[in-house]
Structures are given as C-alpha cells and as structure tokens.
Amino acid sequence: MRKNIVVGNWKMNLKRKESLELVEEVISMLKNNNVEVVFAPSYTYLYKVNKMCTDLSYVHTASQNISKNKNGAFTGEVSAEMIHSLGVKYIILGHSERREYFNETNTDLRTKVDLSLSNNLDVIFCCGESLKQRESGVHFDWIKSQIVESLFHLTEEEFSKIVIAYEPIWAIGTGVTASSSQAEEIHAYIRSVISDKYGENVSANCSILYGGSCKPNNARELFSKENIDGGLIGGASLDANSFVEIIKSFQ
Ligand code: 13P
C-alpha cells in the first residue's frame, strides 16, 4: 500500500549511547504521526532499537544490508533470517555505496531481494545514476535496468512488498540535491516503468522515496511532488531535530 515513509539510514555512524538517545529523542518528538518512520541503525544496535519501536505502530526498523547467502560458513555475514528473527520490518538493498564499494550487482541484488521476501522482510530498493550517466543522457535506461534486473522476476503480490528509493549518486552526501522537478521527473518515470510491467494499480500503490541531501530546508518542496512519497535520509537523520523536521514536512 502506498504510504508516506521517511527512513533514517545511519550508515556506519553513531555509537551505542548516541544511537539509543537519538531514537528516544525522535520518538518523544513524534506525536500522532501520519508518516511511517524507519530507523536503519548499525546491525549492532538493531535489536535494541527495534525493541524501542515496538509500541508505536508507525515506527519501524530496517537493516542496511543482508548476506546474499542463506546461511552457513560466511564469517562476518548477517542473513535475512537472522534479521527477521529480530522483528525488523525492512531491508535496504542496492544502496549505491554497496554497489560501488562492495561490488554488488543487479544479479546479487535479485538474490538478496528473494531472500528478504522469503523471510517476510519488505525491501527498500535503491536505484540511481552517477553524474556522468546523467550528463550523457543514459540515466533513464540505467535506472530501468537496475529495477528490471533485480525486481521484475517478482510476482505482483511479491512486488507489493517493495519500496523504491531513487538516490542520484551525485546528490548523496554532497549537499547538492536534485531539484524537486528533477526528482519528480525520475519518480514519475519509475512509476511508468512499474506500470508497464505490473499495471496501473500496482504502480499507483508503490511508495517511491527520494534520497540525496534531503534536508529540513528542501524536504517540504520535494515531498509536495505527486510521485515523491518520502525520503531515504542520510546525514540529516543523525540529528533528532533535523530528522523530525523532515518527517513533519508532510504535515
Ligand atoms: P545524504 O542524505 O547524507 O545525502 O545520504 C543519502 C543517502 O545515501 C541515504 O541512503
């Protein structure tokens, strides 16, 4: 079901005390919220953070990654079934940092998508282009191929568990944001790609989030666009005031 979602992707930031304090602070500032709020802390605090969120129907947690293997001798890896056993709702997959620094391919991501769904975890699937790709005009095809190759083997019912996050790589951690019309153009395109495969209804029900230097000062403008259903927030999610301000941009 399409809904407004704001996800805080903490990446490899914050120690234990800071993490728990941040969650406590954000929760205390959210009253009668009509936006789904998701924390994606480090694996190490995921269990505790998830416990802190269980009383609130609109606050959930996400894992930033999972192994592409089901289980077994893979030292240092964390499986989808382990994450599911914590009561976590979402898995973030395909973040550009995972694609770039850990060489994750569309095929790897397809495997991870399947493992997530078979363990009852919903997927926040990231896609997006580099500046070079945008400048050379291949960004539409690039984004389409990311979606097609990792997601379009899913049934309609399975696809309903997918949230898409459009994250232009050139806007991540740079302070440069896609303008609301640049973002809306891609979001509308992504919705049309989904519609071509699964039909209008599935497409209209898919939440598509924007990520890339989304901050309190631009969130309202971005979220006002028809096809932008929320945000995947990096830097600004590490501060309770700025994260909550972004969440409240819907109100
Ligand atoms: P920033 O908000 O820090 O640009 O990060 C975006 C992002 O990568 C979220 O996953």
Side-chain angles (χ1 to χ4, degrees), residues 9 11 95 97 167 171-174 211-215 232-236:
N9 176 13
K11 309 190 180 183
H95 194 283
E97 289 150 15
E167 298 207 304
I172 295 178
T174 57
S213 298
C214 182
K215 309 276 183 208
L232 180 52
I233 319 298

Side-chain angles (χ1 to χ4, degrees), residues 71-251:
N71 53 28
F74 299 100
T75 302
E77 289 286 88
V78 175
S79 70
E81 67 183 18
M82 290 171 181
I83 297 298
H84 174 63
S85 73
L86 304 181
V88 167
K89 180 171 182 186
Y90 290 106
I91 302 276
I92 298 173
L93 292 178
H95 194 283
S96 61
E97 289 150 15
R98 302 260 0 138
R99 292 176 188 267
E100 186 179 346
Y101 308 140
F102 302 95
N103 304 316
E104 290 192 2
T105 64
N106 290 342
T107 311
D108 295 332
L109 293 167
R110 176 184 165 127
T111 305
K112 291 187 178 198
V113 165
D114 290 345
L115 279 169
S116 303
L117 297 182
S118 64
N119 283 285
N120 284 320
L121 294 156
D122 292 1
V123 171
I124 299 168
F125 182 83
C126 307
C127 56
E129 80 286 1
S130 65
L131 187 58
K132 199 166 159 219
Q133 286 167 325
R134 173 166 280 262
E135 284 173 350
S136 58
V138 298
H139 49 306
F140 290 101
D141 286 347
W142 176 255
I143 290 164
K144 183 174 180 179
S145 69
Q146 290 179 317
I147 292 173
V148 169
E149 289 173 27
S150 300
L151 298 176
F152 275 10
H153 62 292
L154 299 176
T155 64
E156 199 177 302
E157 194 189 335
E158 287 167 336
F159 192 85
S160 69
K161 310 267 186 220
I162 306 290
V163 170
I164 305 275
Y166 167 57
E167 298 207 304
I169 298 170
W170 46 275
I172 295 178
T174 57
V176 178
T177 319
S179 68
S180 58
S181 50
Q182 279 174 320
E184 171 64 11
E185 181 185 36
I186 300 289
H187 282 231
Y189 173 69
I190 291 171
R191 216 176 280 291
S192 76
V193 167
I194 297 168
S195 176
D196 289 347
K197 167 75 180 172
Y198 292 104
E200 285 272 325
N201 198 30
V202 172
S203 164
N205 274 306
C206 182
S207 298
I208 307 180
L209 316 182
Y210 170 78
S213 298
C214 182
K215 309 276 183 208
N217 65 1
N218 56 28
R220 193 173 293 275
E221 165 71 16
L222 286 160
F223 297 168
S224 70
K225 295 292 178 188
E226 192 186 333
N227 288 292
I228 302 183
D229 303 309
L232 180 52
I233 319 298
S237 72
L238 300 173
D239 174 81
N241 287 315
S242 62
F243 190 49
V244 170
E245 224 179 299
I246 291 172
I247 295 163
K248 290 192 170 162
S249 300
F250 278 112
Q251 290 154 358

